[in-house]
Amino acid sequence: QLQLVESGGGLVQPGGSLRLSCSASGFTFDEHSISWFRQAPGKEREGVSCISRGGSMSKYADAVKGRFTISRDNARNMVYLQMNSLKPEDTAIYYCAASSTVVCSSSRPFSRNEYVYWGQGTQVTVSS
C-alpha cells in the first residue's frame, strides 16, 4: 500500500520551532523527489520546499528561505522539515508529497500535478 504519513505538527508561539516528519512506504522512496506543501484556510495549496532523490538538491519558497530546512534519510524512508522563526502566516496544514519526475531546481516553480503520492497532512498553528 502506497503511503505517506506526516507528523510533528502542533501549536507554537511566534518565533518558535517545529520539526515535521514524513514517513513513506509502499514505493521506491529513493527514486522520488519529496516536497512539502501547505494550505492555509481560504488559500490554495502552495509549495514550501523540495529535496531531490539523493538529497543533493533542494529549494525553498521565498517566504520560508533562511528559516526552514528540508532533509531526508533514505535508509529510513523519512523526510524532515525543520521550521525555525515561525510566523503566524506559517499557520497551515502541511503535506508531504512524492514525485518521480520533479527536479528540485530553483528555476522551476512548484507544480502539484507532478506529485502522485500525498499524505493526509499535519496541522501547524503559530499563535500567541
Side-chain angles (χ1 to χ4, degrees):
Q1 182 179 358
L2 304 177
Q3 192 171 46
L4 291 169
V5 180
E6 303 93 338
S7 62
L11 174 64
V12 65
Q13 293 185 334
S17 298
L18 286 173
R19 184 178 178 85
L20 305 184
S21 298
C22 175
S23 177
S25 62
F27 66 98
T28 50
F29 181 76
D30 60 358
E31 294 181 3
H32 290 74
S33 297
I34 307 295
S35 291
W36 288 94
F37 289 77
R38 67 185 182 186
Q39 187 165 22
K43 300 180 67 176
E44 294 188 1
R45 194 169 300 185
E46 63 177 352
V48 175
S49 185
C50 177
I51 188 165
S52 62
R53 297 177 179 183
S56 61
M57 296 179 62
S58 61
K59 72 171 183 179
Y60 302 89
D62 288 342
V64 307
K65 286 181 179 177
R67 299 188 297 120
F68 292 8
T69 302
I70 191 170
S71 61
R72 67 189 295 165
D73 185 345
N74 286 348
R76 295 176 171 82
N77 285 8
M78 296 288 291
V79 174
Y80 307 96
L81 185 68
Q82 179 66 47
M83 309 163 66
N84 299 326
S85 302
L86 284 162
K87 305 175 181 179
E89 47 264 50
D90 294 318
T91 296
I93 300 175
Y94 283 72
Y95 303 86
C96 62
S99 173
S100 62
T101 59
V102 162
V103 176
C104 297
S105 171
S106 60
S107 64
R108 184 175 181 179
F110 290 95
S111 178
R112 291 163 56 188
N113 294 333
E114 296 190 72
Y115 295 84
V116 295
Y117 308 140
W118 292 83
Q120 293 294 311
T122 184
Q123 177 71 51
V124 172
T125 302
V126 184
S127 176
S128 60

